[in-house]
Amino acid sequence: MPESRTRFNLKPRLEWLFANNLLPKDVEVPADCIREDANDAVHNAPLGKDDALDIQDFTVELLEALFTLPGRLKEAEARRAARRGGG
C-alpha cells in the first residue's frame, strides 16, 4: 500500500502504479500528458479547445491500450485456437 502522499496526489500515484507494474509502461506517456494538462487546468488557467482535444486524444489512446487492445488480442487468440482445433 502506498503512503498517504502517493495515494492522494496524482503524479506520485502514477509513478507508483507504473513502478509496481499495475499499469503497463506503454501508457505512461499518455497518462502523464493527461495529468499535466489537467494540472494546468486546475492550477493555471482554463484550457482552450486545442488543449481539450489533446486531452481527449490522449484519453482515447490510454483507454484503448488498457481495455480495448487486450480484449481484441484475446478474441484473436481464441479465433486462432478454434481454427487450429484447440478451442
Side-chain angles (χ1 to χ4, degrees):
M1 174 68 82
E3 49 128 341
S4 178
R5 179 178 182 276
T6 301
R7 287 194 322 263
F8 297 108
N9 290 288
L10 188 53
K11 183 175 182 175
R13 185 180 331 154
L14 285 172
E15 290 169 352
W16 185 86
L17 289 167
F18 287 112
N20 288 281
N21 297 314
L22 296 170
L23 287 175
K25 294 287 185 191
D26 56 340
V27 299
E28 193 166 5
V29 170
D32 196 52
C33 290
I34 294 166
R35 181 201 60 79
E36 285 181 353
D37 288 344
N39 192 57
D40 288 346
V42 170
H43 297 290
N44 295 330
L47 296 180
K49 180 180 177 180
D50 289 336
D51 296 312
L53 290 172
D54 284 345
I55 292 173
Q56 179 181 356
D57 289 343
F58 283 120
T59 302
V60 167
E61 293 301 320
L62 176 72
L63 294 173
E64 284 186 1
L66 290 175
F67 300 107
T68 304
L69 182 58
R72 285 182 182 164
L73 293 174
K74 192 171 187 174
E75 289 171 0
E77 289 172 8
R79 287 191 308 270
R80 182 178 183 272
R83 284 192 310 272
R84 295 181 181 269

